Amino acid sequence: MNTISNTPLRITDLTFRDGHQSLLATRLRTADLEKVAEDVGRAGYSALEVWGGATFDSMHRFLGEDPWERPRRLRRLIPARVQFMMLLRGQNLVGYRNYADDVVEAFVEEAAEAGIDIFRVFDALNDERNLAAAARAILRVGKHFQAALSYTVTGGRMGGPLFSLEYWVGRAKALASLGAHSLCIKDMAGLLSPDDAARLIPALKQATGLPIELHTHCTAGLAEYTLLRAIDAGVDVVDTCAAPLANRTSHPAVEPLAFLLKGSPRDPGLDFGALERVAAGLEKLLPVYRKLLDDTRLAIVDIGALSHQVPGGMLSNLVNQLREVEAEGRLGEVFEELPRVRQDLGFPPLVTPTSQIVGVQAVQNVLFGKPGGIHSRYAMITDQVKDYCYGLYGRPPAPIQPELLELALKGYPRGATPITCRPGDILSPELPKAKNDLGELARDRRELLLATLFPTTGKRFLRVRRGLEAAPAEWQPPAPCAATGPAPKAASPSPPAAAPAPARLPGAKIYRVRVADEIFEVEVAPAPSRPASVPASASPPPASRAAPAASAPAPAPAAAPATEAASASDPGAVLSPMPGTVIRYAVKEGERVEAGATVVVVEAMKMENRLPAPRAGTVRDIRFKPGDRVARNAVLLTIG
């Protein structure tokens, strides 16, 4: 290879964090990671990304694991010479909004105590002010502060009036001024072309004098080519994954890259034997997670990403959101609406949390809006879009569409004039109030932070831990398949003749379930979405009609079908617009409310929606409690 650097390349392995976040919805359990951890530690990586991003949320919400324990458990198996990295979303930390400075400082201190050596910190808007509090805390605890650029484009390539080479150099200088030890190009949608990487990396090194790490995804099919050009251009570190969790919407596989560089000046010196053992170990443990892999596409490259620019994780979220409301057929409309919403909001890069903000709003525009102007399209605006327009997420790359700004901030509690200061400057300390509210439920600062970052699911986790609530069924580990679990018992010497197997149910999947030491095959098919009397050839209900959701029903007493139907048709009924979680009620039964006043807040797709009273009257029949999961069109309360 022709390269301008003779320094051995360093490699950060992302298998334990972004690899399974990209492909398996962040569902790998710590016990499974431990099975390959020792060999990962022997492979020769300079760092391992083991935490941050969605892991903190997914672990306590879906796996029933204490997020703070994962780095500690992995460190027992991996030597200290291999540094542990986490992904931190600036003032958002590992959540979906900006938190007060006291929360940021406490989180960084606890993360360092848990074993994090390198903090990769980014802001979705590339607003350096949103990294300032985290940067100060990281430097104070003596850890490595890596500032990340959230890479994006508008016309398919670097350049244009917004995201030019000059823009990225300016952003890099601003981040470096915070005291960064290194910079990362965070290319979350795989949009960085090889030629642009060859221009960008030397320019950033020259402007800042800092080491440069490249993080890119394979979504659009450019990543491997871009990595090679980046290596030629002198990049210091690249991110890869072990082959079983590489490619598709994940990252380039480490094994072919290490083979290609072997014997060259940039040879990272990895242990191929250890790499092979890691891959083999993952191949054994991953089959039980296969149902989480989106295998509906034959192509492993999404060429559409070059135009719609949707990161892989965001794409899977959009599909799941539409599936929950039986509107998968409208994905094309969402793709058409996404760039319009992004332009309206000032071209934010599509990375957490702005990817969720833009994506969810695009879905809501398609489901509830009408073609036309701003007022027609934005029939329902999420709380997060309102906060974004007010400035709580920072400074967008371009101005927000004025008509949307006015609409979003009409009646906004903080006021109709957006702020221009650092968002963290207007946020009051949160931990004292949270400690007072939680009482004995949170017994140390780690538990206090968990419940502060995730008030609904964090409190549920702590209530289960205290024995105050039963553990959700979804926390149970997946059943091992025959390849990884014990073999079934031997059959009797003279088994009876087997009956003919019944026909497979439409849309069914086969799962292997272990009971004690026996393994059974179970066929699971989706429930019909219409009464059995409706012919199979009948057209599905349009997206605007009420339809049962695919998600689990809320744990409230079920009403008789006729009563439920009557309640839903009540003009005073407040219905959940989509499957979600009740966050809080703003009213009590018997309270008098005016039409349009907020009565309940529902979280759907990780975004909050304030639902208004459809008419003036008295609140009655509150059916759920905070934390309950609700189906689409569930009656949350009525106004009499």
Side-chain angles (χ1 to χ4, degrees):
M1 299 179 64
N2 298 320
T3 176
I4 63 173
S5 173
N6 291 324
T7 305
L9 183 70
R10 286 177 283 146
I11 295 183
T12 297
D13 177 74
L14 309 182
T15 304
F16 285 0
R17 206 282 299 176
D18 208 359
H20 68 105
Q21 179 170 321
S22 296
L23 298 179
L24 302 175
T26 331
R27 295 298 200 274
L28 282 189
R29 295 176 176 271
T30 304
D32 283 334
L33 300 180
E34 288 174 322
K35 294 173 184 176
V36 296
E38 290 188 72
D39 281 319
V40 170
R42 297 186 184 108
Y45 296 115
S46 63
L48 306 176
E49 189 187 50
V50 300
W51 211 53
T55 57
F56 203 93
D57 183 356
S58 181
M59 288 178 68
H60 85 275
R61 185 190 297 255
F62 299 116
L63 308 182
E65 294 188 22
D66 184 344
W68 296 103
E69 288 303 311
R70 178 168 289 181
R72 291 184 171 90
R73 288 174 59 175
L74 292 175
R75 181 53 80 195
R76 297 184 191 119
L77 301 169
I78 297 172
R81 68 174 180 275
V82 184
Q83 293 188 302
F84 280 1
M85 173 188 284
M86 77 161 294
L87 182 69
L88 194 73
R89 301 168 183 154
Q91 203 81 18
N92 291 176
L93 298 176
V94 289
Y96 305 102
R97 66 171 176 88
N98 277 351
Y99 300 93
D101 287 350
D102 66 327
V103 181
V104 175
E105 292 164 3
F107 185 90
V108 169
E109 291 170 4
E110 291 293 344
E113 178 66 23
I116 300 303
D117 305 299
I118 303 171
F119 288 79
R120 174 178 289 173
V121 191
F122 76 95
D123 177 63
L125 298 178
N126 289 312
D127 186 341
E128 74 281 359
R129 301 173 303 171
N130 286 333
L131 278 71
R136 289 193 300 268
I138 295 164
L139 296 174
R140 187 172 62 251
V141 297
K143 300 298 183 179
H144 183 108
F145 165 39
Q146 182 180 88
L149 295 163
S150 298
Y151 185 80
T152 190
V153 295
T154 53
R157 296 287 297 273
M158 183 172 67
L162 269 182
F163 302 112
S164 63
L165 180 62
E166 291 71 26
Y167 170 87
W168 294 116
V169 168
R171 292 296 82 212
K173 288 180 177 179
L175 295 180
S177 69
L178 298 175
H181 299 106
S182 62
L183 291 176
C184 174
I185 303 169
K186 181 175 168 56
D187 178 24
M188 51 278 173
L191 302 175
L192 180 63
S193 74
D195 288 345
D196 289 341
R199 295 173 57 212
L200 181 59
I201 290 165
L204 297 183
K205 290 175 75 75
Q206 182 177 0
T208 66
L210 295 176
I212 306 296
E213 183 158 356
L214 176 59
H215 171 101
T216 187
H217 287 252
C218 298
T219 313
L222 296 174
E224 286 88 350
Y225 308 107
T226 299
L227 240 59
L228 292 179
R229 289 296 298 277
I231 293 168
D232 282 348
V235 73
D236 299 279
V237 194
V238 299
D239 292 354
T240 63
C241 281
L245 284 174
N247 303 122
R248 292 188 179 267
T249 55
S250 184
H251 308 269
V254 65
E255 297 87 353
L257 182 66
F259 179 82
L260 179 65
L261 296 176
K262 192 159 185 69
S264 76
R266 306 231 62 189
D267 185 351
L270 299 185
D271 183 333
F272 270 86
L275 295 180
E276 290 173 341
R277 291 192 298 273
V278 170
L282 290 172
E283 290 284 1
K284 289 180 180 178
L285 67 87
L286 289 179
V288 296
Y289 297 95
R290 184 173 293 279
K291 64 181 181 294
L292 296 167
L293 181 66
D294 179 12
D295 57 359
T296 59
R297 292 176 54 90
L298 295 179
I300 65 171
V301 169
D302 180 9
I303 58 173
L306 296 173
S307 55
H308 60 61
Q309 300 185 22
V310 176
M314 179 181 173
L315 177 59
S316 61
N317 283 340
L318 291 177
V319 172
N320 287 332
Q321 290 153 14
L322 292 172
R323 183 180 295 126
E324 285 187 329
V325 294
E326 297 189 342
E328 294 127 295
R330 307 189 73 177
L331 183 61
E333 296 175 59
V334 173
F335 278 153
E336 292 177 0
E337 182 66 8
L338 270 167
R340 290 194 287 264
V341 173
R342 187 183 180 217
Q343 181 173 353
D344 291 342
L345 292 175
F347 291 102
L350 296 180
V351 62
T352 304
T354 52
S355 57
Q356 280 86 351
I357 292 172
V358 173
V360 172
Q361 190 61 57
V363 169
Q364 295 200 357
N365 287 3
V366 168
L367 295 180
F368 308 116
K370 296 178 181 178
I374 292 293
H375 285 78
S376 298
R377 288 169 48 224
Y378 289 86
M380 180 182 291
I381 301 178
T382 68
D383 278 8
Q384 281 69 23
V385 167
K386 296 175 183 179
D387 291 343
Y388 176 97
C389 289
Y390 185 69
L392 287 186
Y393 285 90
R395 181 178 52 232
I400 298 171
Q401 208 275 353
E403 195 176 358
L404 174 58
L405 191 66
E406 181 181 0
L407 180 63
L409 296 183
K410 183 180 180 180
Y412 183 73
R414 294 177 182 268
T417 303
I419 61 172
T420 57
C421 63
R422 182 182 78 97
D425 289 340
I426 69 168
L427 300 177
S428 301
E430 297 184 49
L431 292 182
K433 182 179 184 302
K435 186 175 182 179
N436 183 64
D437 292 344
L438 290 165
E440 289 300 312
L441 189 61
R443 297 183 180 176
D444 57 35
R445 192 165 67 161
R446 294 188 297 275
E447 292 186 343
L448 177 63
L449 285 165
L450 172 60
T452 301
L453 295 171
F454 301 96
T456 301
T457 57
K459 288 178 183 176
R460 181 184 67 173
F461 177 85
L462 295 179
R463 287 182 60 82
V464 172
R465 171 174 277 187
R466 303 284 174 259
L468 302 174
E469 186 175 325
E474 64 189 3
W475 286 9
Q476 294 300 315
C481 66
T484 57
K489 285 183 177 179
S492 58
S494 301
R504 177 77 60 85
L505 292 170
K509 291 187 177 182
I510 299 296
Y511 297 99
R512 292 184 175 90
V513 179
R514 183 173 66 179
V515 179
D517 59 348
E518 293 193 79
I519 297 175
F520 303 90
E521 283 196 346
V522 179
E523 183 176 308
V524 179
S529 59
R530 59 182 68 87
S533 59
V534 178
S537 59
S539 299
S544 59
R545 284 179 51 191
S551 59
T563 304
E564 181 68 31
S567 298
S569 63
D570 186 334
V574 177
L575 310 180
S576 179
M578 57 187 67
T581 301
V582 175
I583 299 300
R584 60 186 175 275
Y585 283 93
V587 293
K588 298 178 181 178
E589 287 190 359
E591 184 176 338
R592 180 80 183 176
V593 296
E594 297 300 319
T598 298
V599 291
V600 61
V601 180
V602 175
E603 179 193 76
M605 303 178 284
K606 299 181 180 178
M607 298 288 115
E608 293 184 4
N609 294 274
R610 296 173 182 265
L611 305 185
R615 63 184 181 186
T618 302
V619 177
R620 58 183 174 85
D621 197 18
I622 291 180
R623 298 191 173 191
F624 301 95
K625 63 181 184 299
D628 282 350
R629 286 282 298 169
V630 293
R632 180 190 180 204
N633 285 327
V635 178
L636 305 176
L637 76 159
T638 54
I639 308 295

